[in-house]
């Protein structure tokens, strides 16, 4: 993730001013923020924008996180293709609910294309943001009893200026896209390897294709977590998909719980440390 941010910000005339060590610390803190404050990734975007100031404009930091989600989802399809190929070689493809899988894949593709179409044009983005900002302003006024917009038109215009300056820079640096995709793909491979290691810890050596496919489908299903704040969707989705792929429910439940527990124990404490370190330095 740190290398991803470094390449992205460098293409947007910002990353060359931020060292890899600092970006690594920021990446750990972004992970901490997204898990502690489940809000569909919005908490991580807000922290990234604050942590990379003043080198990176807020709009560019937001664009970096949005592009990371896009490249990550593309890499999911690469990983899923490998998982299905391994299932095909082992003769286990009949265990996969092809219809459900296709629905999820098509849904993700449609959602991703819709986001790209909307955010590729400033006018469309403004049309989308207007009702959202009005709703947030109404909620803020009702709860805090303080009239006034949640974000001023001047600040919103400045944010969009930064966002689309970065957007044009990235579009003009297409040669960086394979590198960005490669680092996102590496992240997924590390996650699958970690999950497989937990299976081995239980003395079980499952079909690698089952683990890859179960992990990837669970990630895609967890997109629905935006509606529920992400609470439990990822975990229950992985348990359900692994069970549907032939892993006994008790084993899938135990492995996922240990896998998620280890992820939190190993990464949340240092993420919290770097989160506080960044904010205290402001």
């Amino acid at each position: 993730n740190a290398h991803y941010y470094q390449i992205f910000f460098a293409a947007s005339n910002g990353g060359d001013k931020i060292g890899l060590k600092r970006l690594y610390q920021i990446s750990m803190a972004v992970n901490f923020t997204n898990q502690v404050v489940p809000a569909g990734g919005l908490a991580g975007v807000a922290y990234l924008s604050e942590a990379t100031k003043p080198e990176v404009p807020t709009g560019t930091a937001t664009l970096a996180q949005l592009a990371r989600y896009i490249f990550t989802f593309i890499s999911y399809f690469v990983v899923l293709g490998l998982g299905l190929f391994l299932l095909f070689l082992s003769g286990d493809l009949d265990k996969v609910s092809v219809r459900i899988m296709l629905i999820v894949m098509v849904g993700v593709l449609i959602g991703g294309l819709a986001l790209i179409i909307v955010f590729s044009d400033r006018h469309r983005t403004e049309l989308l943001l207007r009702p959202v900002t009005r709703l947030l302003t109404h909620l803020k006024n009702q709860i805090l009893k303080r009239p006034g917009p949640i974000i001023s038109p001047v600040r919103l215009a400045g944010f969009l200026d930064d966002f689309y300056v970065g957007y044009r820079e990235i579009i003009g640096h297409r040669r960086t896209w394979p590198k960005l995709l490669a680092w996102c793909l590496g992240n997924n491979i590390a996650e699958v390897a970690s999950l497989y290691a937990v299976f081995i810890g239980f003395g079980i050596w499952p079909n690698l294709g089952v683990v890859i496919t179960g992990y990837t489908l669970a990630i895609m299903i967890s997109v629905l977590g935006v509606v529920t704040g992400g609470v439990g969707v990822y975990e229950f989705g992985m348990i359900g998909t692994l069970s549907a792929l032939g892993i006994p429910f008790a084993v899938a439940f135990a492995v996922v719980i240990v896998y998620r527990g280890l992820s939190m124990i190993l990464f949340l404490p240092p993420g919290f440390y770097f989160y506080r370190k960044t904010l205290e330095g402001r």
Side-chain angles (χ1 to χ4, degrees), residues 6-30:
Q6 186 181 48
I7 294 171
F8 189 97
F9 291 146
S12 302
N13 297 321
D16 53 341
K17 303 175 184 177
I18 305 178
L20 184 63
K21 179 180 178 181
R22 180 180 162 196
L23 287 173
Y24 176 78
Q25 296 174 356
I26 290 173
S27 299
M28 296 281 283
V30 167

Side-chain angles (χ1 to χ4, degrees), residues 10 16 35 38 59 94 110 227-228:
D16 53 341
Q35 294 200 46
D94 59 334
I110 292 175
V227 180
T228 64

